[in-house]
Amino acid sequence: MIKIEGISKSFKDTNVLNDISFGIEKGDFTAVMGPSGSGKSTLLYSVSGMDKISAGQVIFEGINISALSEEELASFRLTKMGFVFQNAQMLKNLTIYDNIILPGLVAKKELPEKIRKLASELMRRMAISGIENRDIKEVSGGQLQRASICRAMINNPEILFLDEPTGALNSEATDQVLEILEELNNEGMTIMIVTHDPRVAAKAKRVLYIRDGQIAASKELRKGGDSVLELDNWLKGLQFNNSQTS
Amino acid sequence: MKLLLNLVRKDFKRNRVITTALAVFLILSAIFMAGGLRVTGIMLSSLNGLNKMAVPPEYVQMHKGDYDEQAVADFVAQQDYLEDALVVRMLDVNNAQIICNGESLEKCLMDKGLVTQNENFDYLLDQNNQIAIVKDGEIGVPVYYAEDLNINVGDTIVLQNGAYQKKFKVATIIRDSTMNSSLSYSKRFLISTNDLNEVALHMGEWEYCFEFLLKEGVSTTVLENAYLAAGLPSNGVAVTAAIFNMINAFSYGLVALVILVISLLLITMSVLCLSYIIRATLAEENHAIGEMKAIGIPAKDIIKLYQIKYTIMVVGAGMIGYLAAIPFGDFFSATVIRYCGDGSSQWMQWITPLVGIVLLSLFVIYRCHRIIQKHLKRTVMELIRGEENTKQEGHYRLPAKALKAYNLSMALGELKCKWKENVVIFLIFVFSSFLILLPMNMNNTINNPVFLTYMGIGKSDVRIDIQYSNNLEQQKEEAIAYLENDPDIERYTVYQNGYVQSQNVEGEWEYVRVQNGDNGVFPLEYLEGKAPTEKNDLALSYLNAVDLGKKVGDAITIIYQGKEHVYNVCGIYQDITYGGKTAKAAIDFDRKDIEGYMIYLDLREGIDIDNHVTKMRTVLPNSKITPCDAFVFQTLSSVIANMNQVQGVAAVISLMLTILITVMFLQLMMAREHSAIALKKAIGFSTRDIQIQLGIRLLVIQVLAIIAGTLLANTLGEVIFAGMLATVGVTKIKLLIAPLWAYLLCPAVQLGVVVMTVIIGTNTVGSYHIRDQIME
């Protein structure tokens, strides 16, 4: 589905990503982990086309998105992918509900009635029904993040990108979000998520460990998910090796 | 101090666009303030200088025909309030008999008289403001004609009547303290006594000006009443010093006033911008200010820290404005300097703008101080929490059905939620629109033939004056006979003028000039009430109504032929003819009391006015025949020329400011909404969508502002314009608007400028780094 071929990203003289290649198949659930500043979020923004890459290419279903024009890229973001930010970002002059349906109404892939029905259905699934008409400042962080996932799903995207979606949530809200992600993936949704939390990564099918802008290791997780403890031990091993090397 | 300056330098670098835009605003305000005051200073200095050297009379009674010299001499001897008196002989020459550089002055509508230099007072001055002296064969030409007909020293002027021809060499250009202005209907040419006596044998008609200087504190009314009561020669108009001053104020002062009004608008716009920018900047600095307060830095030091930047800007702008106002002010003062000279109080052109700049700077610094001081009144916690930023803006709803024009819906929705922060830009766009429209409407009004109705003259194609003649009745009958038989005349009305007496508020009996005729055919604009229709109705000019203490509905007693008559004041109109003091009533004057006739007429559709006037002049050679449009153009030509320049400058400045305001607000909007813009891009809005949304928001604000600015220009503009014209007796005026320009072309240009600026100014959205903008 997505082929990432030798992508690099540099800011001024610093290389943040250095010649990274990997692939994502339909239905994959890929978690990207790594220490702070390793380049994991930059990788997510580069693969999703939110950020321009310095070298290499990202091929999405045969289309090189690195070569798309600004207008084509906007259309790609609107119709093919959903993106969830760490701090649930929403337009503050719209209600929760209007924030969710906005990309649907703009994309016009479906009739407005169908979009509204889908939004209500998504909100019900995310257990946030009842907050439709509230301002974004009137709901909790967990509710807002789940509403962000609804917005990201409104155009039935082919892939969902998430940047530390549980980073600012408490434990209960984190569990709710994880449950939803797992459910979506089980239904066939392709997911790529950046996280530092093994609990979150444990839900994925594969973990990529990024260090110094490169994939330092990758681990396929067993069907049904590795236990958090097992993944934690793997990560500790990687960190130990790193300190030994350095 | 070094630390403060370093902070200021860094701040300038960080907010380069906003700081530059604000600086330009302040500089323009300073230029216009200093420029307007420089023009005022030069005007006052020039007029004072001219009056000081020329010593104009305080009362002039003109007279055509013979008079009793002994009676005048006796009158002068008996009036102990007279400082000095003078009888000026003026030889009125027909315009067609004057040939300048090979061309006759037939098309010039003003009267021309030949005079010699006066003794004691009312001197005609040369271009160095010295008493002009001409030798035999030389002539001094009024500056109005020198300008209008491009006459220079050394040119030849020929007076010709049949076989008689007299050539003159132009020796000097004349400044005339009483008849300089284009608003004055007569102009004086200076020649030697020998030449005057010689020319008088072959052409012209003698007219006499009885000129008086009064002792300190004596009113001209005293002299006017005594003069008329003594039955002295009065076959002509009487003019007072007040009228000379009015004419000068209108001729030279109007442009200065318009520039000062523009400067006040610019100052208002600058202060609005400044307040907005200071608040926006301080809102971003809340946390830092809170920390400074928390560690005990005194409020006055924090104020100093934030105020220094604006103080430096204001002082810098003031200095640049003062210097730039020198060529700016001189450009708009060229006319008054040419007509009146450099003047005797040249310090005024340097000191008045300086005072203005100092006051402007102090005002702006004070406003900055107040805004910062108010901001600092918040508690440390309020500042650190940034409570101002968390204020709810509210939300808008997306349409229930399809979102067809989503950019439009979102832009309007956001505008609704953020209306408070758009009030300032709205007001600035209103003023900007006002700035273009006010001078344009004023100029259009002065240029419009309907302006005559504000001057006390009914709107008509042609006016025939029959006055100052011993054969008034015969001339009138000849004119009527001609008009009755001319198929090209659509309609005409005859008015007769005479004098009656009425009591002023101080109980003194004053002479009032009354016009009798059908006032419905060529109507005037009435301030209150209506034109006289009943037998005992009387309408008063505004200045007469004030002088006589009358309002509509009051009874007024007049004396005519020694008998008292009671009339009802039916209307008040404005008038600038005859010093603004006239009346209209159906008073059947005796033939001997009629001072003159005036005939207004309209020609049939399609008849060329100029050609027909030429034809009428050959048929009625003894009457003064004036095409009204050309008359307005010639009398107001200097004012119109200056107003054209002011209108052009105001339009350019306004458009420039529109660009600046748009750039500045786009910067502020994009800085404030960087996160929302990045989010929109992340969920699939293109750069073009975002540009369109920002553009729609600004254009909607601007369209509303243009509507408000247009309404303001038509209402407040009228008040301002009337205030300016109040000095010449016009208190109420309807601005006449050129709809194509005011309602279509100007708004289109303004909107076009904003569209272009938005396209260029929002280009940076394309290079927005979504991740950085969202995370900040």
Side-chain angles (χ1 to χ4, degrees):
Chain A
M1 183 185 185
I2 306 180
K3 272 196 260 179
I4 293 101
E5 296 175 347
I7 63 167
S8 298
K9 173 78 183 168
S10 49
F11 295 107
K12 291 182 182 167
D13 296 332
T14 314
N15 281 343
V16 183
L17 296 179
N18 199 359
D19 195 21
I20 290 183
S21 299
F22 65 98
I24 297 173
E25 295 303 323
K26 192 158 178 58
D28 265 1
F29 189 157
T30 307
V32 182
M33 301 190 78
S36 295
S38 59
K40 53 187 187 300
S41 285
T42 306
L43 178 64
L44 187 81
Y45 279 89
S46 298
V47 173
S48 62
M50 291 277 182
D51 207 351
K52 281 194 161 53
I53 51 177
S54 311
Q57 54 186 13
V58 177
I59 311 289
F60 186 94
E61 293 182 337
I63 298 165
N64 181 3
I65 63 166
S66 330
L68 292 179
S69 68
E70 213 279 326
E71 290 282 322
E72 290 167 330
L73 210 49
S75 170
F76 169 77
R77 288 184 199 126
L78 184 65
T79 55
K80 302 280 185 190
M81 56 165 260
F83 202 103
V84 178
F85 296 95
Q86 180 175 4
N87 296 311
Q89 297 286 338
M90 291 220 162
L91 296 174
K92 62 180 175 177
N93 296 128
L94 288 176
T95 59
I96 299 285
Y97 182 74
D98 282 348
N99 259 296
I100 293 170
I101 62 168
L102 178 65
L105 294 177
V106 174
K108 294 178 183 142
K109 275 167 76 179
E110 301 286 353
L111 290 171
E113 297 77 32
K114 205 167 173 189
I115 293 164
R116 288 177 187 278
K117 205 172 156 191
L118 177 62
S120 300
E121 174 61 21
L122 284 167
M123 288 184 82
R124 190 191 56 74
R125 277 184 67 185
M126 306 282 172
I128 52 171
S129 297
I131 63 165
E132 286 86 346
N133 294 326
R134 294 208 196 153
D135 272 339
I136 60 167
K137 284 183 180 145
E138 295 171 348
V139 297
S140 70
Q143 286 174 316
L144 206 56
Q145 195 58 294
R146 278 176 281 162
S148 299
I149 297 171
C150 292
R151 180 183 61 197
M153 295 294 298
I154 197 73
N155 280 329
N156 283 318
E158 293 181 34
I159 185 166
L160 195 57
F161 294 102
L162 303 101
D163 185 15
E164 305 252 19
T166 58
L169 302 183
N170 62 24
S171 163
E172 190 189 342
T174 301
D175 286 343
Q176 285 170 344
V177 170
L178 288 180
E179 206 174 298
I180 291 160
L181 292 178
E182 199 170 17
E183 210 177 300
L184 288 172
N185 182 240
N186 288 340
E187 288 166 8
M189 174 61 66
T190 313
I191 296 174
M192 181 176 176
I193 186 169
V194 166
T195 183
H196 64 275
D197 184 351
R199 241 174 13 126
V200 176
K203 301 286 179 188
K205 291 177 179 164
R206 173 176 61 158
V207 176
L208 299 178
Y209 189 81
I210 306 289
R211 190 163 51 212
D212 299 331
Q214 287 182 312
I215 300 176
S218 119
K219 180 176 171 63
E220 299 291 326
L221 303 184
R222 284 201 308 273
K223 201 178 175 185
D226 276 18
S227 72
V228 178
L229 189 62
E230 199 177 336
L231 188 61
D232 215 18
N233 286 335
W234 180 71
L235 289 170
K236 277 180 186 156
L238 288 171
Q239 282 154 12
F240 177 75
N241 286 344
N242 184 39
S243 59
Q244 287 278 303
T245 318
S246 57
Chain B
M1 193 63 189
K2 204 175 170 186
L3 176 73
L4 283 178
L5 289 174
N6 264 336
L7 282 171
V8 171
R9 201 177 304 132
K10 274 185 188 165
D11 191 64
F12 273 127
K13 275 187 183 169
R14 200 174 55 182
N15 297 314
R16 198 168 287 164
V17 174
I18 292 170
T19 310
T20 307
L22 187 59
V24 172
F25 258 92
L26 287 170
I27 289 169
L28 283 174
S29 307
I31 291 174
F32 271 78
M33 167 65 98
L37 288 171
R38 186 172 169 86
V39 175
T40 311
I42 290 173
M43 182 190 76
L44 293 175
S45 166
S46 292
L47 287 173
N48 283 345
L50 183 71
N51 287 345
K52 205 171 165 184
M53 290 304 294
V55 196
E58 287 167 86
Y59 184 81
V60 178
Q61 173 67 57
M62 312 207 29
H63 174 75
K64 264 190 182 174
D66 297 334
Y67 72 98
D68 182 350
E69 287 183 31
Q70 191 55 48
V72 174
D74 291 346
F75 174 79
V76 171
Q78 284 159 14
Q79 315 302 319
D80 55 359
Y81 51 80
L82 289 179
E83 181 75 40
D84 208 343
L86 192 66
V87 179
V88 178
R89 281 193 317 157
M90 184 157 76
L91 186 67
D92 288 346
V93 181
N94 191 319
N95 290 341
Q97 294 171 333
I98 305 175
I99 296 150
C100 175
N101 293 334
E103 205 175 323
S104 109
L105 303 187
E106 195 176 12
K107 285 196 172 168
C108 293
L109 301 172
M110 288 169 194
D111 296 336
K112 290 164 197 72
L114 302 176
V115 293
T116 56
Q117 186 58 275
N118 294 321
E119 288 173 7
N120 301 339
F121 66 99
D122 192 20
Y123 300 112
L124 299 176
L125 305 181
D126 62 17
Q127 288 294 292
N128 297 318
N129 272 14
Q130 298 303 310
I131 296 170
I133 297 164
V134 288
K135 296 178 199 148
D136 291 347
E138 289 181 346
I139 191 166
V141 176
V143 64
Y144 172 82
Y145 286 116
E147 289 286 289
D148 199 40
L149 305 171
N150 196 23
I151 300 173
N152 296 303
V153 171
D155 286 355
T156 304
I157 287 184
V158 179
L159 300 180
Q160 192 168 12
N161 188 17
Y164 175 75
Q165 196 183 56
K166 175 81 181 171
K167 277 189 183 175
F168 289 96
K169 188 180 163 200
V170 177
T172 183
I173 305 299
I174 295 295
R175 288 180 180 145
D176 185 335
S177 62
T178 58
M179 298 181 185
N180 234 354
S181 163
S182 61
L183 287 172
S184 170
Y185 306 143
S186 300
K187 295 282 172 281
R188 297 192 281 191
F189 287 73
L190 181 69
I191 57 174
S192 69
T193 310
N194 291 338
D195 286 341
L196 185 65
N197 291 334
E198 181 199 319
V199 173
L201 296 173
H202 301 279
M203 60 167 73
E205 190 183 355
W206 284 113
E207 186 174 11
Y208 300 92
C209 303
F210 303 103
E211 302 190 348
F212 302 93
L213 277 182
L214 300 171
K215 285 184 177 161
E216 193 80 22
V218 179
S219 157
T220 49
T221 314
V222 176
L223 170 63
E224 195 175 6
N225 287 334
Y227 189 93
L228 287 170
L232 290 177
S234 58
N235 202 5
V237 290
V239 194
T240 61
I243 296 171
F244 294 137
N245 290 338
M246 277 181 199
I247 288 172
N248 286 333
F250 186 76
S251 302
Y252 312 121
L254 189 64
V255 170
L257 277 171
V258 173
I259 295 174
L260 285 174
V261 168
I262 292 175
S263 84
L264 290 179
L265 274 175
L266 288 174
I267 292 165
T268 313
M269 287 160 86
S270 299
V271 170
L272 277 171
C273 272
L274 198 66
S275 311
Y276 184 80
I277 289 167
I278 294 175
R279 286 198 190 100
T281 313
L282 289 180
E284 284 173 17
E285 298 280 330
N286 270 342
H287 202 273
I289 296 170
E291 282 177 352
M292 280 191 264
K293 279 188 89 170
I295 60 171
I297 297 178
K300 67 176 171 49
D301 288 343
I302 304 175
I303 292 174
K304 201 192 287 174
L305 179 70
Y306 287 97
Q307 199 178 344
I308 187 165
K309 171 183 163 181
Y310 302 106
T311 308
I312 289 172
M313 281 179 84
V314 170
V315 172
M319 283 160 66
I320 295 169
Y322 184 80
L323 292 174
I326 296 171
F328 178 84
D330 289 353
F331 177 76
F332 285 104
S333 305
T335 307
V336 74
I337 290 176
R338 179 86 168 117
Y339 276 73
C340 305
D342 284 326
S344 56
S345 324
Q346 289 191 36
W347 57 269
M348 288 176 91
Q349 59 183 284
W350 302 105
I351 298 300
T352 43
L354 186 65
V355 171
I357 289 287
V358 169
L359 289 176
L360 169 71
S361 305
L362 289 175
F363 174 68
V364 174
I365 291 169
Y366 170 76
R367 282 294 303 157
C368 290
H369 186 86
R370 291 281 299 162
I371 296 166
I372 299 169
Q373 197 179 36
K374 201 175 160 194
H375 194 83
L376 285 186
K377 279 187 180 156
R378 293 194 173 88
T379 67
V380 172
M381 282 317 289
E382 279 171 344
L383 286 164
I384 287 179
R385 277 193 209 128
E387 288 189 351
E388 194 177 58
N389 295 335
T390 60
K391 270 184 196 164
Q392 295 268 331
E393 284 181 354
H395 59 252
Y396 64 95
R397 296 307 306 257
L398 295 175
K401 291 189 175 168
L403 190 57
K404 279 178 188 157
Y406 57 86
N407 285 327
L408 180 67
S409 300
M410 292 182 72
L412 293 179
E414 284 167 5
L415 203 54
K416 182 192 134 203
C417 295
K418 298 174 194 293
W419 67 268
K420 272 186 189 166
E421 52 184 83
N422 291 318
V423 168
V424 171
I425 188 168
F426 169 76
L427 287 176
I428 293 173
F429 276 148
V430 170
F431 289 134
S432 170
S433 178
F434 188 71
L435 192 59
I436 293 186
L437 289 175
L438 183 66
M440 194 173 84
N441 290 348
M442 283 183 181
N443 202 6
N444 193 52
T445 307
I446 293 176
N447 269 303
N448 196 307
V450 175
F451 188 66
L452 279 173
T453 62
Y454 300 123
M455 297 168 82
I457 304 164
K459 187 188 173 311
S460 61
D461 290 341
V462 181
R463 177 177 137 168
I464 303 174
D465 285 283
I466 303 165
Q467 52 190 354
Y468 321 133
S469 158
N470 296 324
N471 305 313
L472 283 177
E473 280 306 309
Q474 192 192 332
Q475 275 180 249
K476 183 196 77 175
E477 293 306 328
E478 280 170 10
I480 290 174
Y482 166 78
L483 295 174
E484 284 292 325
N485 293 310
D486 186 344
D488 293 338
I489 306 291
E490 169 88 35
R491 56 184 179 164
Y492 72 90
T493 302
V494 182
Y495 299 92
Q496 48 178 235
N497 291 321
Y499 282 95
V500 298
Q501 280 182 297
S502 186
Q503 228 171 358
N504 67 19
V505 280
E506 281 146 17
E508 297 164 341
W509 287 92
E510 268 187 20
Y511 280 91
V512 177
R513 184 189 169 90
V514 179
Q515 188 183 64
N516 175 19
D518 185 349
N519 291 297
V521 184
F522 298 99
L524 290 179
E525 287 283 328
Y526 273 74
L527 290 177
E528 285 173 63
K530 56 178 180 54
T533 47
E534 302 297 324
K535 203 181 167 200
N536 62 342
D537 276 353
L538 182 138
L540 287 171
S541 70
Y542 173 75
L543 289 183
N544 247 340
V546 172
D547 208 23
L548 302 172
K550 299 292 177 192
K551 54 184 190 298
V552 173
D554 286 356
I556 181 167
T557 305
I558 63 161
I559 296 179
Y560 175 58
Q561 291 185 327
K563 286 183 193 162
E564 287 194 0
H565 304 267
V566 178
Y567 278 79
N568 171 41
V569 178
C570 62
I572 294 173
Y573 59 93
Q574 47 203 1
D575 196 350
I576 65 169
T577 59
Y578 301 98
K581 290 185 178 182
T582 60
K584 293 178 194 300
I587 295 174
D588 203 9
F589 288 109
D590 257 12
R591 281 189 180 182
K592 66 176 173 56
D593 294 330
I594 291 173
E595 195 243 350
Y597 290 101
M598 219 178 268
I599 303 173
Y600 289 166
L601 63 96
D602 274 349
L603 296 169
R604 287 194 194 283
E605 191 83 22
I607 303 292
D608 185 280
I609 296 175
D610 285 344
N611 285 344
H612 208 81
V613 164
T614 311
K615 187 177 137 194
M616 286 166 74
R617 280 182 183 145
T618 57
V619 181
L620 305 168
N622 297 318
S623 303
K624 188 180 172 190
I625 303 169
T626 316
C628 292
D629 283 5
F631 171 75
V632 171
F633 184 76
Q634 287 193 16
T635 50
L636 298 175
S637 56
S638 62
V639 179
I640 288 171
N642 272 334
M643 283 296 288
N644 279 338
Q645 289 165 345
V646 173
Q647 179 190 335
V649 171
V652 171
I653 295 277
S654 174
L655 290 177
M656 213 172 95
L657 291 182
T658 303
I659 294 173
L660 274 174
I661 297 159
T662 311
V663 168
M664 197 165 76
F665 273 79
L666 272 176
Q667 288 275 323
L668 288 169
M669 264 160 80
M670 291 197 301
R672 205 173 260 203
E673 296 176 29
H674 62 86
S675 184
I677 291 172
L679 179 63
K680 282 180 186 170
K681 286 191 78 172
I683 60 175
F685 284 93
S686 67
T687 300
R688 199 167 151 267
D689 286 330
I690 293 160
Q691 284 180 308
I692 291 172
Q693 288 174 22
L694 290 170
I696 289 174
R697 276 163 64 179
L698 278 171
L699 287 176
V700 169
I701 295 169
Q702 208 199 9
V703 167
L704 294 174
I706 287 172
I707 294 169
T710 307
L711 287 175
L712 206 63
N714 293 353
T715 50
L716 182 65
E718 275 188 4
V719 176
I720 292 172
F721 195 33
M724 291 175 180
L725 295 182
T727 46
V728 284
V730 178
T731 54
K732 191 179 171 188
I733 196 155
K734 186 165 170 52
L735 277 175
L736 304 168
I737 294 151
L740 179 69
W741 277 97
Y743 300 137
L744 194 69
L745 296 178
C746 279
V749 171
Q750 284 172 275
L751 291 171
V753 161
V754 168
V755 170
M756 289 302 296
T757 314
V758 169
I759 291 170
I760 297 164
T762 52
N763 255 343
T764 48
V765 174
S767 55
Y768 257 43
H769 201 273
I770 294 174
R771 185 180 162 200
D772 291 349
Q773 298 293 342
I774 282 218
M775 283 178 171
E776 267 178 24

